[in-house]
Amino acid sequence: MARNNGNGTATLTRGGSSRLSSGTTKGKSGAGKKGKRVYFFGNGKAEGGAHLKDLLGGKGANLADMTTVPLPVPPGFTITTETCGEYNDAGQKLPRGLMEEVRKNVAKVERATKKKFGNPKNPLLVAARSGAKFSMPGMMDTVLNIGLNDKVVEGMAKLTGNERFAYDSYRRLINMFGDTVMGVDHHHFETELSAVKKDKGVELDTDLDTESLKEVVRRYKDVYKQHVGKPFPQDPFEQLEAAIEAVFKSWMGDRAIRYRELNDIRGLRGTAVNVQAMVFGNMGDDSATGVAFTRNPSTGEDEFYGEFLVNAQGEDVVAGIRTPLDCKTEMVKWSAKAWKELLKIKDVLEARYKDVQDFEFTIEKGKLYMLQTRNGKRTTAAAVKIAVDMTKERLIDRPTAVLRIDPQSLDQLLHPTFNPKAERTVIAKGLPASPGAAVGKIAFTAEEAEERVGKGEKIILVRRETEPADIGGMHVSEGILTSTGGMTSHAAVVARGMGTPCVAGAGSLHIDTEKKRLSVNGKNYGVDDWISLDGAIGEVYEGQVETQEASLTGAFKQIMEWADQYRTLKVRTNADTPNDAEVARNFGAEGIGLCRTEHMFFDVLRIHTMREMILASDTDGRRAALAKLLPYQKEDFVGIFRAMKGLPVTIRLLDPPLHEFLPHNDQDQVALARSLGVTPDQIRQRVQQLHEANPMLGHRGDRLAVTYPEILEMQVRAIIEAACEVKKEGVKVLPEIMIPLVGTKKELDYLKTYTDETAKAVMKEQGIKVDYLYGTMIEVPRAAVTADEIAETAEFFSFGTNDLTQMTFGYSRDDVNSFLPDYLKKEILERDPFQSIDVGGVGQLIRMAVERGRSVRQDLKCGICGEHGGDPKSVEFCHDVGLNYVSCSPFRVPIARLAAAHAAIKQEQQASAKKSRKK
Ligand code: ADP
Ligand code: MG
Ligand code: MG
């Protein structure tokens, strides 16, 4: 796939299934109450639930669900994604009546918490949080501590007896509100904070005393006023309304739009807003905040995997300001009770959601609160192990386990790792944030990475920490390396999602982005230097470390075996050499669906003879050259037949136009003339003669064989001689001779005579019989339309979907990129039809051809070859239309096997759902 989709994540459902917008959602699951914009949750009850992800977003739906478990969730309410849609439809205006509904729900939160919003004596503070159906970096960050003002902060101080805490919360609010809601650049606040810290001679925020924090608040208010032009709002509802509006606005922000584009997320109405009572991880040393996974998202190991910070709030953990502690080893020392509670929550969450959870928690004065849970993003290796383990633990069944693995994401496992025997010099160690081996040259910014990858370089993106704006550069890089940030930092989370190797928090690195210099242990590295990363163990190496191929073992092997139990579609491979055939067999290929013979002619020795053949002036000359090519062809086929050990091998006869084999520049033409003993002019003339305006619609495919049957004869001879030879060795052979580009039955009949006669002659010479099939590619729409006639001669069909797409759309494969991007951007086409089968057009031709073909030949074998054979969506289509097999490149064989299993399981599930509905 041209679209680099190796970033398939296990948790993010892609395009197709997210098409429902909440506005149009119907049916019992997923629909909300008409006109209702706000859903309350609290004290064990919730108006929403886990089934309302379209309407409440993932975060809101799960907050509601956790509330009802019951898990300790601070009360709050969710404003629907539909409301965000209304807001944007109306030219970014909050719908009338919304704020009244919000006020009613704030009152409910007040009752649930026995606190009052804006009342200094017993103040309620709230958080405003964005949350779409899928977690989406690029949208507005959370604003905490809404409801604080000059009066309330004093009340908070008195009430908690903790003045420091109150002012710490207040300065956070002014900063977050100023930054994320009003767009005041964060560094203006940061500068003031640093100045105060310097004055007081302290290093950490936590070392600032109350008086200093009051000073910070004063300065922050000045910064705010200076940049916004108005003082910081003292009315809590004004704060809340502005925050809600900012969340809605961020849905259409550049970063959010770009993220949706990159991840093929379409058809959503907007983001929800979650407004929730605050709980405080910054109330002192008995308070903390953290994030955790119920299993290790890198390896899949069944172990608690999380980080926490004592006396901290909100995004301190993710932002990488202080280095968080590992829950598994440190939490027990801090609070045995909290640790025990977290372990219990791990089990409760997994039992309920039947999947790994990524959750956020805060501990306020020893009491634990849950702030979020969602299915955790994980590497493919982890996804596979978790699916297999959970099946063994009987949390899920086998079909569910198989469906959990995104076929596309297997790409990650089929990629190389470092050769354990390779020499390497470690220059730094960091956290193993996302596994895999990556080798590349250093780039210091995301833009630079994108630019250099565009020029064909391999890049490792090196940053102190990444941010959502870096997403494009991260996407194209081989690997990502950061010097700060933990296992749940932005870089780590995003890299795991993309399947890109990442080493995070390699603290010994000094990264100078301006000077484009990476220094470590007195050594400097720049943009021309290669480095290698092992994301599985967190090591950084100098230079290019040697990598090795992947293999199918352990949980991966298990899941593939399960997949094979469900699928009915066979998977073959496209292979032109014995080596490709071998690799594909190891990945489970059940035959060769396309062996292209022309590639064999491009070898230096052979191309010379090939050219001799093309330049020959008569049939005898051509026959003489072809006789020299015969042994080469035969040798290749012998190798392939041996490697496939009796599995079917479809061999396509010569396909490309002849001019592709001739040199086109002067120098090469002169050299060729000399070696063939002709004049350069003769060569030039022949090249000119072969020139065509539309070579892809020209003298190629079976049209060559019609003009020069001797080429076909040589190829058939090579195939049958090889088959006889291998059969004599005692190996079963099943050659399938395939004629390309057929448009009429007569072409096929004409060539069949030559084929059968040659085969018969060879078998007679060899004194042995081999069975072979004679079939055709369906690439020309006329062949699809007249498939019933064609099937009278053809014993099998193979859909060459690349050419069939080209001819059905009338888009030249070679030139399509001059306009296709516009079609995709303007959504005139939903996706590139050369990557994923155009079901509505090309797919209909395939369906028709299969039906018509089988109407005259019941057992007509049908398959596809071409890029589409390895595209999961296309594979599902092939299953549905009743093909016998798909054929794809060797490394995509496991992907196709899994996609075929998905298709079969889904079909089965749909059928049984239909049955039970009828009852
Ligand atoms: P994100 O989408 O970035 O995860 P969240 O809305 O989950 O944003 O909020 C980020 C962090 O803010 C949470 O991990 C939590 O620490 C803090 N937070 C959110 N809601 C509350 C709350 N009600 N009380 C205290 N902290 C909160
Ligand atoms: Mg966020
Ligand atoms: Mg969160």
Side-chain angles (χ1 to χ4, degrees):
M1 312 223 353
R3 182 196 182 82
N4 175 6
N5 243 344
N7 64 335
T9 66
T11 49
L12 201 87
T13 318
R14 278 167 195 288
S17 46
S18 63
R19 192 132 299 111
L20 286 180
S21 78
S22 61
T24 56
T25 308
K26 296 221 173 63
K28 59 176 186 278
S29 65
K33 264 200 207 137
K34 217 170 173 259
K36 185 174 172 62
R37 296 196 180 100
V38 182
Y39 287 70
F40 179 79
F41 55 87
N43 290 353
K45 295 212 181 67
E47 295 178 329
H51 59 295
L52 287 178
K53 293 215 166 67
D54 276 311
L55 191 62
L56 303 181
K59 195 182 290 171
N62 279 351
L63 282 171
D65 190 73
M66 281 198 292
T67 302
T68 61
V69 168
L71 283 163
V73 177
F77 54 86
T78 304
I79 307 172
T80 62
T81 56
E82 176 57 27
T83 314
C84 179
E86 282 182 69
Y87 171 82
N88 280 313
D89 289 350
Q92 310 217 309
K93 268 212 187 68
L94 289 179
R96 274 239 300 274
L98 173 66
M99 283 314 289
E100 283 77 70
E101 237 180 304
V102 166
R103 277 173 194 266
K104 274 187 204 146
N105 278 275
V106 169
K108 284 192 193 172
V109 178
E110 289 175 338
R111 282 196 292 278
T113 54
K114 302 193 179 69
K115 293 178 182 171
K116 275 243 174 283
F117 197 45
N119 181 342
K121 287 205 189 103
N122 183 21
L124 166 69
L125 303 191
V126 297
R129 321 167 60 186
S130 59
K133 180 170 182 185
F134 307 114
S135 121
M136 201 182 289
M139 272 174 351
M140 198 199 77
D141 289 329
T142 303
V143 182
L144 303 177
N145 309 320
I146 293 173
L148 277 175
N149 58 28
D150 294 351
K151 293 260 160 50
V152 172
V153 72
E154 283 172 27
M156 276 290 270
K158 242 183 248 150
L159 193 77
T160 58
N162 189 340
E163 204 179 13
R164 189 191 178 284
F165 152 74
Y167 281 91
D168 183 50
S169 302
Y170 196 22
R171 62 108 186 169
R172 286 171 191 268
L173 171 64
I174 302 167
N175 182 344
M176 276 195 241
F177 187 88
D179 174 5
T180 59
V181 178
M182 304 308 292
V184 182
D185 202 304
H186 176 67
H187 86 257
H188 297 304
F189 296 108
E190 201 56 39
T191 310
E192 297 302 325
L193 183 65
S194 303
V196 175
K197 279 200 262 183
K198 204 168 161 209
D199 277 359
K200 307 283 166 180
V202 303
E203 245 183 63
L204 291 176
D205 298 3
T206 38
D207 294 336
L208 286 170
D209 61 13
T210 308
E211 282 318 305
S212 318
L213 284 170
K214 284 185 177 171
E215 172 65 19
V216 173
V217 166
R218 268 192 295 279
R219 290 186 182 218
Y220 275 16
K221 285 205 287 194
D222 286 346
V223 168
Y224 184 95
K225 193 169 169 192
Q226 199 187 327
H227 289 89
V228 178
K230 281 188 293 193
F232 178 75
Q234 294 291 308
D235 175 359
F237 275 105
E238 189 184 333
Q239 294 171 5
L240 182 57
E241 181 169 342
I244 291 169
E245 190 166 351
V247 173
F248 283 163
K249 208 170 260 162
S250 71
W251 175 256
M252 294 308 286
D254 292 343
R255 277 194 280 149
I257 291 176
R258 179 130 168 80
Y259 183 84
R260 290 198 289 275
E261 266 171 25
L262 278 174
N263 290 283
D264 205 9
I265 298 174
R266 277 179 265 188
L268 296 188
R269 241 342 223 158
T271 175
V273 186
N274 299 289
V275 177
Q276 189 182 28
M278 282 295 299
V279 287
F280 300 99
N282 58 336
M283 265 201 183
D285 286 337
D286 55 355
S287 303
T289 183
V291 293
F293 287 78
T294 55
R295 298 188 191 207
N296 187 320
S298 251
T299 62
E301 213 59 55
D302 184 7
E303 61 183 0
F304 195 95
Y305 184 91
E307 293 168 332
F308 73 108
L309 271 178
V310 175
N311 196 10
Q313 196 177 54
E315 306 205 304
D316 291 359
V317 180
V318 194
I321 300 167
R322 281 157 59 194
T323 308
L325 304 173
D326 182 358
C327 294
K328 208 171 116 191
T329 55
E330 305 301 318
M331 175 80 77
V332 98
K333 298 180 204 160
W334 176 70
S335 160
K337 176 174 158 268
W339 176 232
K340 216 172 119 193
E341 219 170 332
L342 276 178
L343 286 179
K344 210 174 110 202
I345 279 181
K346 168 184 188 304
D347 293 339
V348 172
L349 290 176
E350 285 201 348
R352 181 152 186 103
Y353 299 110
K354 318 265 184 233
D355 201 352
V356 171
Q357 296 299 295
D358 163 2
F359 66 100
E360 302 178 358
F361 60 92
T362 281
I363 298 168
E364 178 182 310
K365 291 185 159 299
K367 170 144 180 48
L368 186 135
Y369 292 93
M370 294 292 292
L371 295 178
Q372 181 171 349
T373 192
R374 59 183 168 202
N375 292 343
K377 290 200 175 172
R378 64 207 79 170
T379 62
T380 306
V384 168
K385 176 162 170 48
I386 290 164
V388 170
D389 286 352
M390 287 192 163
T391 309
K392 293 185 175 153
E393 294 159 25
R394 298 185 183 277
L395 268 175
I396 56 176
D397 59 13
R398 273 187 199 181
T400 306
V402 171
L403 287 178
R404 282 258 167 101
I405 313 300
D406 170 12
Q408 189 64 49
S409 77
L410 289 184
D411 221 24
Q412 280 183 36
L413 301 185
L414 301 168
H415 281 317
T417 49
F418 286 123
N419 181 345
K421 286 180 201 135
E423 294 258 328
R424 59 192 93 179
T425 317
V426 179
I427 55 174
K429 279 207 77 140
L431 300 167
S434 176
V439 181
K441 285 186 181 176
I442 301 172
F444 290 91
T445 65
E447 299 84 73
E448 183 192 340
E450 281 191 270
E451 192 190 310
R452 289 170 60 193
V453 170
K455 289 184 190 144
E457 283 189 60
K458 288 192 173 216
I459 291 296
I460 305 272
L461 179 62
V462 178
R463 307 278 292 152
R464 249 163 267 150
E465 164 62 323
T466 59
E467 46 186 86
D470 291 344
I471 200 103
M474 297 172 76
H475 203 255
V476 297
S477 296
E478 301 290 315
I480 297 161
L481 171 62
T482 68
S483 60
T484 60
M487 293 297 286
T488 50
S489 64
H490 180 265
V493 172
V494 173
R496 278 199 295 274
M498 288 176 172
T500 302
C502 174
V503 174
S508 62
L509 302 179
H510 293 280
I511 297 166
D512 190 331
T513 309
E514 261 82 71
K515 295 205 179 103
K516 295 185 183 291
R517 197 170 61 202
L518 166 70
S519 336
V520 56
N521 297 330
K523 263 187 141 176
N524 292 327
Y525 302 87
V527 292
D528 289 324
D529 291 311
W530 289 88
I531 54 171
S532 303
L533 304 181
D534 190 333
I537 54 174
E539 286 186 342
V540 187
Y541 314 111
E542 202 171 74
Q544 297 170 262
V545 177
E546 188 195 323
T547 53
Q548 69 176 17
E549 297 308 330
S551 72
L552 236 162
T553 51
F556 185 18
K557 188 163 168 231
Q558 178 68 79
I559 212 93
M560 292 312 300
E561 280 170 16
W562 289 347
D564 288 345
Q565 287 170 7
Y566 296 108
R567 77 183 158 95
T568 51
L569 192 67
K570 296 231 179 246
V571 177
R572 295 195 189 183
T573 190
N574 300 347
D576 305 337
T577 65
N579 183 44
D580 282 357
E582 195 76 50
V583 171
R585 275 204 56 140
N586 289 336
F587 282 135
E590 297 162 297
I592 291 180
L594 176 64
C595 173
R596 287 163 295 206
T597 50
E598 58 269 16
H599 287 191
M600 301 171 174
F601 296 128
F602 279 106
D603 178 285
V604 262
L605 277 174
R606 302 173 187 189
I607 194 154
H608 189 77
T609 320
M610 188 68 189
R611 287 169 172 170
E612 207 178 308
M613 190 274 290
I614 295 169
L615 289 161
S617 50
D618 56 16
T619 314
D620 285 345
R622 268 192 301 277
R623 281 192 190 281
L626 284 164
K628 286 197 240 168
L629 283 172
L630 176 71
Y632 294 127
Q633 280 253 277
K634 180 179 153 188
E635 183 187 305
D636 288 330
F637 295 142
V638 165
I640 289 172
F641 288 144
R642 280 193 191 129
M644 293 314 282
K645 301 196 178 75
L647 294 174
V649 177
T650 307
I651 297 166
R652 179 181 71 185
L653 302 188
L654 191 64
D655 185 53
L658 295 181
H659 81 89
E660 283 189 13
F661 297 96
L662 292 182
H664 287 91
N665 67 52
D666 277 350
Q667 215 180 345
D668 292 346
Q669 288 179 350
V670 170
L672 179 63
R674 201 172 297 139
S675 77
L676 290 178
V678 297
T679 66
D681 253 356
Q682 279 174 294
I683 307 266
R684 241 164 271 150
Q685 261 174 27
R686 185 69 177 139
V687 170
Q688 247 161 35
Q689 209 176 21
L690 290 172
H691 174 82
E692 289 176 304
N694 294 304
M696 292 310 276
L697 296 175
H699 200 179
R700 55 173 285 226
D702 67 334
R703 299 161 200 172
L704 288 171
V706 169
T707 312
Y708 312 113
E710 55 275 14
I711 299 180
L712 174 139
E713 282 174 354
M714 183 280 281
Q715 293 201 289
V716 172
R717 174 167 278 278
I719 293 168
I720 303 296
E721 281 188 8
C724 291
E725 187 174 320
V726 173
K727 191 173 177 183
K728 284 179 191 164
E729 293 168 7
V731 181
K732 230 175 96 187
V733 277
L734 259 180
E736 301 175 342
I737 297 172
M738 181 159 79
I739 311 295
L741 222 69
V742 166
T744 68
K745 174 178 184 307
K746 274 210 169 144
E747 282 172 289
L748 208 54
D749 288 340
Y750 177 74
L751 297 174
K752 187 169 185 340
T753 317
Y754 286 95
T755 304
D756 288 346
E757 272 170 16
T758 307
K760 214 156 109 196
V762 173
M763 289 186 230
K764 199 164 163 207
E765 287 161 27
Q766 300 279 329
I768 184 168
K769 248 198 85 177
V770 291
D771 292 326
Y772 65 92
L773 295 182
Y774 180 77
T776 182
M777 293 191 75
I778 304 286
E779 307 173 89
V780 175
R782 192 183 189 285
V785 176
T786 59
D788 44 352
E789 291 171 17
I790 297 217
E792 283 170 9
T793 307
E795 293 168 296
F796 63 89
F797 285 175
S798 175
F799 294 92
T801 48
N802 296 345
D803 271 312
L804 189 58
T805 300
Q806 163 169 273
M807 294 198 222
T808 302
F809 276 94
Y811 293 166
S812 155
R813 265 157 80 183
D814 300 319
D815 307 315
V816 72
N817 271 337
S818 54
F819 59 90
L820 189 67
D822 295 331
Y823 275 61
L824 295 173
K825 205 153 85 211
K826 299 184 177 175
E827 297 192 7
I828 290 171
L829 288 177
E830 204 174 310
R831 49 180 69 86
D832 180 348
F834 290 100
Q835 283 175 29
S836 197
I837 279 189
D838 158 49
V839 172
V842 177
Q844 292 315 303
L845 280 176
I846 295 177
R847 193 185 294 276
M848 179 169 80
V850 171
E851 276 166 17
R852 293 194 178 172
R854 287 191 181 147
S855 74
V856 299
R857 192 188 287 274
Q858 251 180 14
D859 60 346
L860 183 76
K861 218 196 290 189
C862 297
I864 77 161
C865 54
E867 296 308 303
H868 299 96
D871 167 60
K873 277 206 184 82
S874 308
V875 172
E876 290 197 21
F877 170 77
C878 292
H879 170 91
D880 293 340
V881 83
L883 297 193
N884 300 87
Y885 69 86
V886 296
S887 187
C888 57
S889 71
F891 280 97
R892 301 197 73 82
V893 167
I895 296 174
R897 282 164 68 195
L898 187 56
H902 279 206
I905 293 171
K906 283 184 203 164
Q907 194 180 46
E908 172 81 39
Q909 287 179 345
Q910 272 160 13
S912 62
K914 217 175 179 181
K915 240 196 228 154
S916 67
R917 233 177 291 135
K918 271 198 188 135
K919 270 184 201 161

